Amino acid sequence: MPSVVVVGAQWGDEGKGKIVDLLASKADVVVRYQGGNNAGHTVKIDDEVFKLHLIPSGILSEGVACVIGNGVVVDPAVLIQEMDSLAARGIDVSRLVVSENAHVIMPYHKALDRLQEEAKGDEKIGTTGRGIGPCYTDKIARFGLRMADLVDPEALSDRLDLVLRYVNSLLEKVYGDKGFKKQDLIDELSPKAERLRGMVADTSLLVNEALDRGQDVLFEGAQGTLLDIDHGTYPFVTSSSATAGGASTGSGVGPTRIDKVIGIAKSYTTRVGEGPFPSEQKNEIGDWIRDRGNEYGTTTGRPRRCGWFDAVMVRYSARINGLTSLALMHLDTLAGLDRVQICVAYEIEGRRVDHFPNNLRVLRQCKPVFEEMDGWKGDLSDARSLDDLPANARRYIDRISELIGIPITMISVGGKRTETIVVEEPFS
């Protein structure tokens, strides 16, 4: 029985939620392994739309156990709000378990997020302001509070005594802002801790036991590969390991237990926030793709920057993640264009480059080398096999597969769960 990691192969927002939702119906356990509520998954089932920020997309599949792993940072208020929202729509959230080792986003993390972005001025990263980065900073600095601390009143009190000396000094002396009082934080957090206490557990043990029983386990990340703290376009990245390797560290499951890694990429490229974007189209084509693809952030509502498919970048993602296959999303969005383009290489000072550069200064200089192909027209939403697609759409898929060096085993032709071509079943 396989364990499968689903990972974004671009800058996030690739459509992981739909693929996880599609695969979750065939899985026994779905694990979210990194990120926080700074990202979101939009899932469309029939005529209902669900927007998830912390809870794994598997919650929408009946009977599937859902785990928020230790690599996730959890805002208790957001988690409770999301649970209540799903429950009000008839979704059973009793199947959700949260790692006792997951770190807690505190009110002061949100204050620091805002103040640090303001201090950067023109060099701001474009964070969501939800306290994600400062929470991960405290985790690495060993000043963090974990879910185990949150649900233990004595541990919470002791940790706050230590942490607030540091946090308040930083807020007051560096940023000239007011600090936080221990009792105010306890009063705010205690009701949330009471609500979540029964859901907190050793999730590494639970997931490994599921694998021991031969159950199918699906691991989902939040952001994409190019936002990974180590392998992304630093410093315009998130604060966690968004690559496939993060599935192990963020869940407590060893890498030898991972069987397949599926990359998710749009049929074009999008990006939210600041940073270089070689294939970006700041023109009518970019606007057309944004409108057709409804390219606005699930969590923030911010318009996404849009451009042509970047094969250099996705080839890099295939290498970094060890992708075994790719799911190509939003093929239907490009329908209607007479011509489509693929970025097949970069040009730097007149020199052709086929590999994605790690140096941000070099990446800013990259000019895209495009390959143009004939487009296709018509409604693709009824396609359920490759043979149902227009010939030019097939050629486009084949060329992308050739350029990135891995097979494309799923193609999304619409927003609904059923509007997907599955060439090869991952859980088989």
Side-chain angles (χ1 to χ4, degrees), residues 308-382:
W308 294 117
F309 186 90
D310 189 335
V312 183
M313 182 172 71
V314 179
R315 190 163 57 240
Y316 169 79
S317 292
R319 169 165 59 90
I320 292 298
N321 291 292
L323 298 184
T324 54
S325 64
L326 187 78
L328 193 65
M329 313 300 288
H330 281 263
L331 186 68
D332 53 301
T333 296
L334 297 182
L337 292 171
D338 292 327
R339 305 284 287 175
V340 293
Q341 297 190 64
I342 302 173
C343 175
V344 297
Y346 299 148
E347 184 181 286
I348 305 174
E349 297 178 345
R351 178 171 54 92
R352 182 183 172 111
V353 175
D354 295 314
H355 297 289
F356 193 84
N358 289 311
N359 187 305
L360 193 70
R361 184 187 63 80
V362 174
L363 185 60
R364 289 187 188 279
Q365 298 176 40
C366 288
K367 297 179 179 178
V369 177
F370 287 119
E371 182 176 294
E372 193 169 76
M373 302 179 68
D374 290 328
W376 55 92
K377 300 183 186 300
D379 182 2
L380 306 185
S381 61
D382 290 332

Side-chain angles (χ1 to χ4, degrees), residues 284-297:
E284 291 181 0
I285 285 293
D287 294 340
W288 189 90
I289 292 173
R290 184 182 303 108
D291 291 340
R292 282 270 298 180
N294 191 30
E295 293 296 349
Y296 299 90

Side-chain angles (χ1 to χ4, degrees), residues 99-113:
S99 171
E100 59 190 1
N101 290 340
H103 278 247
V104 180
I105 298 173
M106 300 290 286
Y108 50 77
H109 289 136
K110 299 174 189 177
L112 283 168
D113 204 350

